[in-house]
Amino acid sequence: MPALTFSRPCRMQRWPVLLFLAWACFLFFSGIGLFTSGFLLMRIELTNRSSCLDPLAAPAWAGQGVAPGACWMPQRVPKAVLLIIDALTFEFARFDPAKARPRPYENKLGFLHQLAGSQPRHARLYRFRADPPTTTMQRIKGITTGSLPTFIDVGSNFASYAIEEDNLLGQLVENGRRVVFMGDDTWDGLFPQKFFRSYFFPSFNVKDLHTVDDGILQHLYATVDGGEWDLLIAHFLGVDHCGHKHGPDHPEMAKKLTQMNEMLRSLVDHLGNDTLLLVAGDHGMTETGDHGGDSEKEVNAALFVYSKTPLFGAHLPKEPETIPQVNLVPTLALLLGVPIPYSNIGEVMAELFSGDGDAASAALSQLLAYRINAGQVDRFLHSYSLAAQDLPAERLRHLWELFSAALEEHDQLLAQVREGLPASPELEARLGRLVGRFQHYLREARAVCMESWARFHPLRMVAGCALIAASCLLCCVASELAAALDFSYRSRLLYPLLWGLGVAAVLGLAHLLTREGLDLILVVSWSAAASQLAFFWHSWGRRPRGARLAGGQPPVASAGLWQRLRAWQGLVLPMGILFIRCCAMFSDSFVVAEARVAPFLLASLAILLVGELHWHGRLAAPEAPKQPPGSTSSQKESWQLLCLLAVLLACLRLSGLFHQCREEIPHCQPSPFLAPLSSLQSTQAKNLFYLLCVASLAGLVYAVRRWLRHYGNLNSAGPLVLFVRWAFPLLAVWIACYWAVTSGAEDALGKLQELVQVALVGFPRAVYGLASLGLLLALWRPVTVFVKDSRESVGPIVTPYQGAPSSHAELQHVIPQIYRRMQESLKTQLDRGHRRATVAAYGLGSVYSAALVIVLTLLALLLLCLHSERMSLAFLLLFLEGFVLLRLHAWLVSLAGDAEPFVVPWYAVTAWVFAATQFFYSTGHQPIFPAIHWHAAFVGFQAGHSTHLLPAVLVGANTFASHILFAVGCPLLLLWPFVCEAPNSQRRKLEEEEQPVMEMRLRESPERFSAALLQLGLKYLFVLGVQLLACVWAAMILRRHLMVWKVFAPKFLFEALGFMVSSICLLLGTCLVMRVDCAVSAWFEQLQPR
């Protein structure tokens, strides 16, 4: 019998495969960046701050001057009270006496109408126009900084809501003013350590209508009477919570607004004559009580201004004036005598600067305020244009011309007034025209900023969509071409890269010659588009006509009609399910309910696949009266397949226990498994859940070690094997100890508290360090093969024997003929007197999969440490479902019969991607920002971070844990059918020549192995890219939808970030497989006889 030997095959195409996948990822990244630049326009936050020393104070007019201690202009109001009634829509504040039967939210704030009617020079109601997005945090930012918060603000403090930009509260504190706050605890995170005194109340529970409001009322009147404040802010939440819970048209809303009306009536009695009262709503609400979008009802808030000292002229407008919310910032800053925040683009409210004099004096006072306001805005635009390139240069030049012209006229008029120009109607007209010119400049400046920060760029959005769609098409085409034996990396990769680099060089040269601003996103996008065009051009010109596929099947293009139909038949089911999922992206209801849609689609795909096998007669019928020989085994396999399907459905069902709730889903209760154990009040329940979590953690580690031992990958004395033997249990113990400490940290007292703080830092960092060491070992020495060699031999016989000597693995996973022939060969040689040595290699048949499983387990332990304790149950389900999907895939491949083992079917890739999406939700996440687990940034870093990178990595790893695990484990879809292969009727016919078994079949065909890895990676990117494309299209088409900022924009962001994380991890998983192949090649070279 010829010895079972392994020749030295040619090496894999490692670098070309990795470069091709990296290039495909780059194409998608370019499309994402281009679309994002047109959809989510970002604003740079400047760190500059205004100061009283800034030369912005206008030259004094006749009889005017700045009093000592005041900034920029004389202080007009010593004290101010700002009452924010959250979600105070203008319709709530307006009073219509003609309505005999008002709705619950109408005519309830009658005291405001009474003040405005009886004291027209003291009180006035405005429409307070909010800028979208109409979320509370963004609106607070707008009415304190005077800027336009976009959907994404590039700030300097990651994982913190603190406002670092220059703001009104910061100016007051820096100038020695006392700011007192009471109400919504959101302000505590936005303005840490800015308040002279504060009374914060929890705002998370939207069903609680009274805790915050009642808490404010307990301190409001006494604080006002005490007088130890310069600005008093009270933020009421009852109206907003009532809208979320009941809607505006509900009796509870009438009660809450009536309470606010009585509060205002009492508060006015406590105000001094020198105090300004402002009652404002941060945003409105829809008919269902929601907010966040840009509908008319959401942006239409109310502002009421009152003072016991006359503020306004005698003229009362017929309809309330509409003013933007940002106008409050410069107005209040100048009234209180502090500098206007540096980044403000708001316009002062002219009426509040009229004074008690004649019309000329009022116009002079207003002109002084406008001159200062315009100078501050001009300074900001100049500084911002130097820091960013998103403001059009032509518009900036036009604004400078407007400001220069108004400034020149101002200086001329100032000189004439100083020379003794008498007050006259002509002077009043000239002052009015000059005020109008400054108004025009300020409104034009705000319009330019709105167009750049709060408007879409349709052309970039369409180009980004086209770039992503072309990338999906490229992945699909390249995945088919990769299966051809004549696939040329030179023409498919080198030429496109050269085209892309050439276009980038041309654009860079054009930038140097024209000296215009270089938009890096556009350069990268043009380069990506050029490389795509080159790929399609060379693919069309060099498409394989007569080449045969790697599996021996003719290409689809050269096959007949029937062969084409059969080749594309397998795409109907997975692509149909994928199409349904993509269509669901255009419905906000489906996006909101995606936590239930994703497992349903995965279950449907699995059931339909098994049903398709039964339809084609691949499953045995147990009730058949006559069964041919060997049908018992077929029946057994069929029942095992159905059992796997049942386990998969059970996992999908159980994973629903860990879902997070969205506020759009009524009557949804968040899973108790998401809360940490420390939140449990019952000690018995806490101990019970802790034991369950530890058992899940131990079960995960035991299952992985059991699998490795079963395939013989725990027999050697290599460093990675020793690490798995000893470090895996140690990691589990450390994580369990960390859980024990965190669950009882609040109960620790005295010196024990110090030990607890040390443990809260020590245990996570020890897990980070040991797991990182294991990952490095997996890259350094990934081979987990045990070689059993005898003494000197004539020539080695290498057997890929994967089971332990005492196990029964060889009965299922080793071809029995090989073992018998080895015995017969050894017996024959002993009879002849020529003893021949045998080299037995345990674990060689699963060497690639073993390395991946070890790395996945290390990553899972790392990610589990970033989640709450009870998420260990979800991670156990994740591994179980992943194993079931792999086993189901291997079984379907074996039952298919004529399936090509080197080609992973589309259904397997689609199911794998769906599983990653499903467990994104089953680990307690949602594609909304409030659902981000920010606490992950401080696991092991209780004192905070000195850099921004590490917390970003920790939070990202927590958020996209499922994407990381499934992307790294994607090569298992190719490897698992080889690991699970068993002797069949075809292999029983091989009587004369031994064949390599299990994963060694991959190594015997390195070209096909490389092509299979490339094809699998491209298919994975295609499925991910199609889902991303659907989100991009939905966000672009529905950009004027009511829920765009609440549903579609966050969904796009999370889908884009998930794609980027998945693609990078896919490259890492592919790199690991190639590293193992390189190590296996070196291992075989050591076995070659010298």
Side-chain angles (χ1 to χ4, degrees):
M1 183 196 78
L4 178 63
T5 60
F6 289 88
S7 61
R8 296 182 60 181
C10 57
R11 295 181 179 273
M12 291 177 61
Q13 298 279 354
R14 300 189 182 105
W15 285 111
V17 170
L18 290 176
L19 287 177
F20 200 100
L21 290 176
W23 173 59
C25 295
F26 163 76
L27 298 178
F28 280 105
F29 294 172
S30 302
I32 293 172
L34 184 59
F35 178 83
T36 302
S37 67
F39 180 69
L40 299 179
L41 297 177
M42 297 180 289
R43 179 178 66 88
I44 303 296
E45 287 188 357
L46 301 182
T47 58
N48 308 57
R49 297 186 180 279
S50 298
S51 170
C52 289
L53 302 178
D54 295 338
L56 287 179
W61 293 81
Q64 293 184 343
V66 179
C71 275
W72 294 6
M73 71 176 297
Q75 179 184 12
R76 299 180 61 87
V77 176
K79 293 177 178 289
V81 176
L82 175 60
L83 297 184
I84 298 179
I85 301 179
D86 208 293
L88 181 64
T89 305
F90 179 79
E91 298 300 327
F92 293 0
R94 191 171 192 174
F95 191 89
D96 187 0
K99 288 192 175 183
R101 301 180 61 182
R103 304 176 73 172
Y105 59 85
E106 294 177 332
N107 291 356
K108 296 301 182 293
L109 297 178
F111 182 65
L112 301 183
H113 176 72
Q114 177 184 342
L115 286 177
S118 60
Q119 305 178 51
R121 298 195 60 193
H122 297 257
R124 190 150 298 178
L125 179 65
Y126 297 90
R127 292 183 183 270
F128 207 33
R129 191 79 176 182
D131 296 300
T134 52
T135 56
T136 296
M137 188 184 71
Q138 299 282 34
R139 291 298 88 232
I140 293 175
K141 197 168 186 177
I143 62 178
T144 55
T145 64
S147 187
L148 297 175
T150 55
F151 192 80
I152 298 180
D153 287 327
V154 182
S156 59
N157 193 3
F158 177 81
S160 174
Y161 289 113
I163 295 178
E164 302 293 339
E165 199 172 18
D166 194 11
N167 57 83
L168 180 61
L169 271 65
Q171 287 294 337
L172 289 168
V173 173
E174 291 175 5
N175 288 276
R177 309 300 173 84
R178 298 162 299 180
V179 182
V180 176
F181 178 84
M182 52 188 69
D184 184 358
D185 60 356
T186 303
W187 290 71
D188 186 24
L190 294 174
F191 304 99
Q193 301 179 351
K194 286 290 191 297
F195 300 110
F196 178 75
R197 187 181 298 114
S198 57
Y199 306 95
F200 297 112
F201 303 97
S203 59
F204 180 75
N205 187 5
V206 296
K207 294 185 178 181
D208 184 1
L209 309 184
H210 307 294
T211 298
V212 177
D213 294 359
D214 293 345
I216 294 175
L217 295 176
Q218 291 177 3
H219 303 280
L220 179 61
Y221 307 123
T223 303
V224 172
D225 294 337
E228 295 183 353
W229 52 273
D230 296 293
L231 175 64
L232 173 62
I233 304 175
H235 191 156
F236 293 87
L237 287 179
V239 173
D240 180 65
H241 286 189
C242 184
H244 285 298
K245 184 176 181 180
H246 302 292
D249 200 5
H250 193 276
E252 286 296 327
M253 182 62 75
K255 295 179 183 179
K256 181 53 63 177
L257 291 174
T258 302
Q259 182 190 26
M260 294 294 99
N261 188 65
E262 296 303 319
M263 177 271 297
L264 292 172
R265 188 185 302 275
S266 302
L267 178 62
V268 168
D269 295 336
H270 290 267
L271 293 179
N273 294 331
D274 59 349
T275 303
L276 176 68
L277 173 64
L278 301 108
V279 182
D282 57 342
H283 53 76
M285 67 170 62
T286 63
E287 295 180 353
T288 59
D290 298 320
H291 57 89
D294 58 354
S295 67
E296 183 64 26
K297 290 182 177 293
E298 290 172 287
V299 301
N300 196 19
L303 172 65
F304 182 79
V305 182
Y306 171 77
S307 175
K308 293 184 177 180
T309 302
L311 291 174
F312 308 98
H315 174 69
L316 184 65
K318 296 182 179 180
E319 285 294 327
E321 182 183 354
T322 299
I323 62 171
Q325 283 189 349
V326 292
N327 289 10
L328 180 65
V329 175
T331 303
L332 196 54
L334 294 182
L335 288 176
L336 293 173
V338 298
I340 301 175
Y342 194 92
S343 301
N344 164 74
I345 59 170
E347 172 191 342
V348 292
M349 299 168 61
E351 292 178 315
L352 297 180
F353 295 90
S354 299
D356 298 330
D358 55 11
S361 300
L364 287 173
S365 298
Q366 293 176 6
L367 184 59
L368 175 61
Y370 271 107
R371 167 64 180 84
I372 296 173
N373 191 186
Q376 170 266 318
V377 172
D378 175 72
R379 180 187 62 174
F380 165 71
L381 292 178
H382 176 70
S383 301
Y384 189 87
S385 62
L386 296 178
Q389 305 295 329
D390 52 359
L391 296 179
E394 297 80 5
R395 301 292 299 277
L396 287 176
R397 284 195 292 268
H398 175 65
L399 289 175
W400 170 247
E401 292 173 358
L402 291 178
F403 177 71
S404 299
L407 188 62
E408 181 180 358
E409 183 178 350
H410 173 272
D411 294 339
Q412 293 176 358
L413 186 59
L414 172 62
Q416 295 177 7
V417 171
R418 285 178 173 176
E419 292 175 358
L421 181 66
S424 63
E426 181 183 356
L427 176 61
E428 294 179 12
R430 291 184 63 182
L431 291 174
R433 288 195 299 270
L434 186 54
V435 168
R437 298 191 70 167
F438 279 119
Q439 283 181 340
H440 177 63
Y441 165 75
L442 291 171
R443 292 171 185 177
E444 282 287 321
R446 182 173 178 270
V448 170
C449 295
M450 286 186 64
E451 290 176 3
S452 301
W453 300 337
R455 299 288 178 88
F456 300 111
H457 198 302
L459 184 58
R460 291 199 175 200
M461 294 167 64
V462 172
C465 287
L467 200 54
I468 296 175
S471 301
C472 292
L473 179 61
L474 184 145
C475 288
C476 183
V477 172
S479 66
E480 295 298 324
L481 295 176
L485 292 179
D486 64 343
F487 183 79
S488 173
Y489 290 99
R490 182 176 181 180
S491 61
R492 315 294 185 186
L493 179 62
L494 180 59
Y495 294 151
L497 290 180
L498 292 177
W499 276 45
L501 292 176
V503 170
V506 170
L507 293 176
L509 182 61
H511 162 65
L512 293 177
L513 295 177
T514 59
R515 296 184 179 180
E516 294 184 357
L518 181 65
D519 193 331
L520 184 60
I521 293 180
L522 287 181
V523 172
V524 171
S525 301
W526 276 109
S527 176
S531 62
Q532 285 180 339
L533 180 62
F535 173 84
F536 289 122
W537 178 269
H538 286 280
S539 297
W540 178 259
R542 298 171 178 255
R543 62 189 185 278
R545 301 181 182 275
R548 298 182 65 84
L549 297 179
Q553 299 174 353
V556 176
S558 61
L561 177 61
W562 179 250
Q563 287 80 2
R564 293 183 185 183
L565 293 177
R566 291 195 59 185
W568 291 100
Q569 185 180 4
L571 293 176
V572 174
L573 183 56
M575 292 299 106
I577 298 292
L578 181 60
F579 178 75
I580 293 174
R581 168 163 166 72
C582 292
C583 291
M585 300 291 187
F586 292 82
S587 169
D588 58 333
S589 301
F590 277 95
V591 174
V592 168
E594 192 178 18
R596 291 176 289 173
V597 174
F600 171 77
L601 292 178
L602 179 56
S604 301
L605 178 59
I607 293 174
L608 290 175
L609 284 172
V610 176
E612 185 181 18
L613 284 178
H614 180 70
W615 178 265
H616 292 290
R618 302 287 175 83
L619 298 180
E623 65 274 9
K626 295 182 180 181
Q627 300 192 10
S631 61
T632 304
S633 176
S634 300
Q635 292 180 18
K636 182 179 179 180
E637 291 183 356
S638 301
W639 283 111
Q640 289 177 348
L641 182 64
L642 294 177
C643 290
L644 284 175
L645 180 61
V647 174
L648 175 62
L649 297 178
C651 290
L652 293 173
R653 185 66 176 176
L654 291 175
S655 65
L657 299 176
F658 304 92
H659 286 172
Q660 178 69 276
C661 283
R662 295 181 60 135
E663 62 179 355
E664 297 90 348
I665 302 178
H667 312 298
C668 177
Q669 296 295 330
S671 171
F673 293 97
L674 302 179
L677 291 179
S678 58
S679 63
L680 296 177
Q681 301 297 326
S682 173
T683 305
Q684 184 177 2
K686 183 184 297 186
N687 294 336
L688 180 62
F689 273 110
Y690 176 76
L691 293 177
L692 184 60
C693 295
V694 173
S696 301
L697 178 62
L700 176 60
V701 174
Y702 172 79
V704 172
R705 284 166 52 91
R706 176 72 176 176
W707 184 89
L708 294 172
R709 185 180 295 110
H710 175 74
Y711 283 98
N713 294 103
L714 281 185
N715 293 328
S716 72
L720 185 59
V721 174
L722 294 178
F723 184 89
V724 173
R725 288 179 181 174
W726 299 104
F728 272 24
L730 185 60
L731 284 171
V733 170
W734 285 350
I735 295 176
C737 292
Y738 174 68
W739 290 346
V741 172
T742 55
S743 61
E746 298 179 356
D747 302 330
L749 300 175
K751 295 183 178 180
L752 187 60
Q753 181 67 28
E754 298 180 1
L755 295 177
V756 167
Q757 295 302 320
V758 173
L760 288 176
V761 175
F763 282 124
R765 294 192 180 184
V767 173
Y768 298 157
L770 191 57
S772 301
L773 176 62
L775 293 175
L776 293 176
L777 285 176
L779 292 176
W780 176 48
R781 299 285 295 274
V783 178
T784 54
V785 177
F786 172 61
V787 180
K788 187 175 182 181
D789 197 356
S790 62
R791 298 177 182 270
E792 287 293 329
S793 60
V794 177
I797 300 177
V798 182
T799 304
Y801 176 45
Q802 71 289 347
S806 59
S807 69
H808 296 284
E810 65 275 10
L811 297 179
Q812 299 178 359
H813 303 286
V814 177
I815 299 178
Q817 289 84 346
I818 295 178
Y819 186 67
R820 289 197 298 269
R821 290 185 182 184
M822 288 179 60
Q823 289 179 322
E824 294 172 0
S825 176
L826 182 59
K827 182 178 179 181
T828 302
Q829 294 170 13
L830 289 175
D831 292 340
R832 295 177 179 176
H834 300 283
R835 179 162 181 167
R836 193 180 185 190
T838 301
V839 178
Y842 298 95
L844 188 59
S846 57
V847 63
Y848 296 98
S849 300
L852 274 173
V853 170
I854 292 173
V855 168
L856 287 173
T857 307
L858 289 172
L859 290 175
L861 294 176
L862 268 175
L863 297 171
L864 183 57
C865 193
L866 300 175
H867 289 74
S868 61
E869 303 91 337
R870 286 182 279 188
M871 282 293 101
S872 59
L873 302 172
F875 274 78
L876 183 62
L877 277 178
L878 185 150
F879 268 73
L880 178 59
E881 182 175 319
F883 170 78
V884 171
L885 285 175
L886 290 172
R887 197 70 182 88
L888 195 61
H889 162 51
W891 224 305
L892 292 175
V893 169
S894 65
L895 289 177
D898 57 348
E900 165 56 40
F902 283 83
V903 177
V904 179
W906 281 100
Y907 68 78
V909 180
T910 306
W912 201 250
V913 174
F914 282 7
T917 302
Q918 173 221 337
F919 271 101
F920 169 79
Y921 295 99
S922 298
T923 49
H925 297 96
Q926 285 281 352
I928 51 177
F929 294 105
I932 295 178
H933 300 172
W934 296 110
H935 65 85
F938 305 100
V939 175
F941 300 91
Q942 300 294 319
H945 299 271
S946 58
T947 63
H948 309 320
L949 179 60
L950 184 57
V953 171
L954 294 176
V955 173
N958 173 281
T959 304
F960 299 105
S962 63
H963 296 74
I964 294 173
L965 293 175
F966 279 96
V968 173
C970 181
L972 290 175
L973 294 173
L974 173 63
L975 303 173
W976 210 263
F978 293 93
V979 175
C980 297
E981 68 179 3
N984 55 30
S985 58
Q986 294 180 356
R987 295 194 179 101
R988 290 193 187 101
K989 298 178 181 179
L990 301 174
E991 299 291 343
E992 299 298 332
E993 184 179 357
E994 300 295 351
Q995 297 291 332
V997 294
M998 299 176 66
E999 291 180 350
M1000 289 300 99
R1001 295 176 58 200
L1002 292 165
R1003 190 178 177 278
E1004 286 296 310
S1005 303
E1007 291 184 355
R1008 297 173 66 186
F1009 192 9
S1010 303
L1013 282 175
L1014 176 61
Q1015 189 181 44
L1016 174 60
L1018 292 173
K1019 286 182 176 181
Y1020 197 79
L1021 291 176
F1022 172 81
V1023 177
L1024 289 173
V1026 168
Q1027 295 182 151
L1028 173 64
L1029 182 61
C1031 288
V1032 167
W1033 276 346
M1036 181 181 66
I1037 295 174
L1038 303 175
R1039 62 185 181 275
R1040 299 298 180 187
H1041 192 275
L1042 182 66
M1043 305 298 289
V1044 61
W1045 299 116
K1046 198 171 187 179
V1047 176
F1048 296 109
K1051 175 60 180 173
F1052 158 69
L1053 279 179
F1054 278 83
E1055 196 72 28
L1057 291 174
F1059 177 89
M1060 298 174 70
V1061 171
S1062 298
S1063 57
I1064 294 174
C1065 292
L1066 174 67
L1067 290 175
L1068 295 178
T1070 307
C1071 285
L1072 178 60
V1073 173
M1074 295 182 173
R1075 175 68 187 95
V1076 176
D1077 183 78
C1078 184
V1080 170
S1081 298
W1083 180 82
F1084 270 107
E1085 290 178 358
Q1086 295 177 0
L1087 292 180
Q1088 294 296 326
R1090 299 180 180 178

PDB file of all heavy atoms in Angstrom, residues 959-970:
ATOM      1  N   THR A 959     -21.109  47.791  21.487  1.00  0.00           N
ATOM      2  CA  THR A 959     -22.266  47.984  20.605  1.00  0.00           C
ATOM      3  C   THR A 959     -22.303  46.964  19.474  1.00  0.00           C
ATOM      4  O   THR A 959     -23.359  46.417  19.146  1.00  0.00           O
ATOM      5  CB  THR A 959     -22.250  49.407  20.034  1.00  0.00           C
ATOM      6  OG1 THR A 959     -22.208  50.346  21.110  1.00  0.00           O
ATOM      7  CG2 THR A 959     -23.481  49.655  19.180  1.00  0.00           C
ATOM      8  N   PHE A 960     -21.148  46.698  18.880  1.00  0.00           N
ATOM      9  CA  PHE A 960     -21.103  45.834  17.695  1.00  0.00           C
ATOM     10  C   PHE A 960     -20.443  44.492  18.023  1.00  0.00           C
ATOM     11  O   PHE A 960     -19.690  43.955  17.208  1.00  0.00           O
ATOM     12  CB  PHE A 960     -20.352  46.538  16.574  1.00  0.00           C
ATOM     13  CG  PHE A 960     -20.988  47.832  16.145  1.00  0.00           C
ATOM     14  CD1 PHE A 960     -20.431  49.043  16.524  1.00  0.00           C
ATOM     15  CD2 PHE A 960     -22.147  47.835  15.402  1.00  0.00           C
ATOM     16  CE1 PHE A 960     -21.016  50.234  16.145  1.00  0.00           C
ATOM     17  CE2 PHE A 960     -22.743  49.019  15.016  1.00  0.00           C
ATOM     18  CZ  PHE A 960     -22.182  50.229  15.394  1.00  0.00           C
ATOM     19  N   ALA A 961     -20.742  43.963  19.185  1.00  0.00           N
ATOM     20  CA  ALA A 961     -20.152  42.684  19.591  1.00  0.00           C
ATOM     21  C   ALA A 961     -20.546  41.562  18.638  1.00  0.00           C
ATOM     22  O   ALA A 961     -19.702  40.750  18.230  1.00  0.00           O
ATOM     23  CB  ALA A 961     -20.571  42.347  21.023  1.00  0.00           C
ATOM     24  N   SER A 962     -21.811  41.498  18.274  1.00  0.00           N
ATOM     25  CA  SER A 962     -22.253  40.417  17.378  1.00  0.00           C
ATOM     26  C   SER A 962     -21.635  40.569  15.992  1.00  0.00           C
ATOM     27  O   SER A 962     -21.271  39.577  15.357  1.00  0.00           O
ATOM     28  CB  SER A 962     -23.776  40.418  17.279  1.00  0.00           C
ATOM     29  OG  SER A 962     -24.246  41.630  16.702  1.00  0.00           O
ATOM     30  N   HIS A 963     -21.504  41.792  15.506  1.00  0.00           N
ATOM     31  CA  HIS A 963     -20.862  42.004  14.207  1.00  0.00           C
ATOM     32  C   HIS A 963     -19.413  41.521  14.234  1.00  0.00           C
ATOM     33  O   HIS A 963     -18.928  40.904  13.276  1.00  0.00           O
ATOM     34  CB  HIS A 963     -20.894  43.486  13.832  1.00  0.00           C
ATOM     35  CG  HIS A 963     -22.272  44.042  13.633  1.00  0.00           C
ATOM     36  ND1 HIS A 963     -23.127  44.301  14.687  1.00  0.00           N
ATOM     37  CD2 HIS A 963     -22.950  44.387  12.510  1.00  0.00           C
ATOM     38  CE1 HIS A 963     -24.257  44.787  14.211  1.00  0.00           C
ATOM     39  NE2 HIS A 963     -24.183  44.845  12.906  1.00  0.00           N
ATOM     40  N   ILE A 964     -18.720  41.783  15.331  1.00  0.00           N
ATOM     41  CA  ILE A 964     -17.326  41.366  15.453  1.00  0.00           C
ATOM     42  C   ILE A 964     -17.210  39.855  15.428  1.00  0.00           C
ATOM     43  O   ILE A 964     -16.406  39.280  14.677  1.00  0.00           O
ATOM     44  CB  ILE A 964     -16.718  41.955  16.741  1.00  0.00           C
ATOM     45  CG1 ILE A 964     -16.645  43.481  16.659  1.00  0.00           C
ATOM     46  CG2 ILE A 964     -15.336  41.366  17.003  1.00  0.00           C
ATOM     47  CD1 ILE A 964     -16.228  44.141  17.952  1.00  0.00           C
ATOM     48  N   LEU A 965     -17.997  39.178  16.234  1.00  0.00           N
ATOM     49  CA  LEU A 965     -17.877  37.722  16.349  1.00  0.00           C
ATOM     50  C   LEU A 965     -18.256  37.015  15.052  1.00  0.00           C
ATOM     51  O   LEU A 965     -17.550  36.109  14.598  1.00  0.00           O
ATOM     52  CB  LEU A 965     -18.748  37.234  17.505  1.00  0.00           C
ATOM     53  CG  LEU A 965     -18.307  37.675  18.909  1.00  0.00           C
ATOM     54  CD1 LEU A 965     -19.311  37.234  19.961  1.00  0.00           C
ATOM     55  CD2 LEU A 965     -16.923  37.128  19.235  1.00  0.00           C
ATOM     56  N   PHE A 966     -19.350  37.411  14.442  1.00  0.00           N
ATOM     57  CA  PHE A 966     -19.779  36.719  13.224  1.00  0.00           C
ATOM     58  C   PHE A 966     -18.875  37.050  12.042  1.00  0.00           C
ATOM     59  O   PHE A 966     -18.683  36.202  11.161  1.00  0.00           O
ATOM     60  CB  PHE A 966     -21.234  37.074  12.910  1.00  0.00           C
ATOM     61  CG  PHE A 966     -22.226  36.280  13.712  1.00  0.00           C
ATOM     62  CD1 PHE A 966     -22.762  36.792  14.881  1.00  0.00           C
ATOM     63  CD2 PHE A 966     -22.611  35.015  13.318  1.00  0.00           C
ATOM     64  CE1 PHE A 966     -23.672  36.071  15.632  1.00  0.00           C
ATOM     65  CE2 PHE A 966     -23.519  34.282  14.058  1.00  0.00           C
ATOM     66  CZ  PHE A 966     -24.052  34.810  15.222  1.00  0.00           C
ATOM     67  N   ALA A 967     -18.327  38.256  11.991  1.00  0.00           N
ATOM     68  CA  ALA A 967     -17.432  38.591  10.884  1.00  0.00           C
ATOM     69  C   ALA A 967     -16.102  37.857  11.006  1.00  0.00           C
ATOM     70  O   ALA A 967     -15.580  37.323  10.018  1.00  0.00           O
ATOM     71  CB  ALA A 967     -17.200  40.103  10.841  1.00  0.00           C
ATOM     72  N   VAL A 968     -15.535  37.807  12.206  1.00  0.00           N
ATOM     73  CA  VAL A 968     -14.293  37.053  12.402  1.00  0.00           C
ATOM     74  C   VAL A 968     -14.519  35.574  12.129  1.00  0.00           C
ATOM     75  O   VAL A 968     -13.657  34.883  11.570  1.00  0.00           O
ATOM     76  CB  VAL A 968     -13.744  37.282  13.818  1.00  0.00           C
ATOM     77  CG1 VAL A 968     -12.555  36.364  14.099  1.00  0.00           C
ATOM     78  CG2 VAL A 968     -13.324  38.733  13.999  1.00  0.00           C
ATOM     79  N   GLY A 969     -15.678  35.069  12.510  1.00  0.00           N
ATOM     80  CA  GLY A 969     -15.986  33.655  12.304  1.00  0.00           C
ATOM     81  C   GLY A 969     -16.537  33.319  10.944  1.00  0.00           C
ATOM     82  O   GLY A 969     -16.896  32.149  10.694  1.00  0.00           O
ATOM     83  N   CYS A 970     -16.593  34.275  10.029  1.00  0.00           N
ATOM     84  CA  CYS A 970     -17.144  34.016   8.697  1.00  0.00           C
ATOM     85  C   CYS A 970     -16.406  32.904   7.954  1.00  0.00           C
ATOM     86  O   CYS A 970     -17.046  32.092   7.273  1.00  0.00           O
ATOM     87  CB  CYS A 970     -17.142  35.306   7.880  1.00  0.00           C
ATOM     88  SG  CYS A 970     -17.833  35.136   6.221  1.00  0.00           S
TER      89      CYS A 970
END
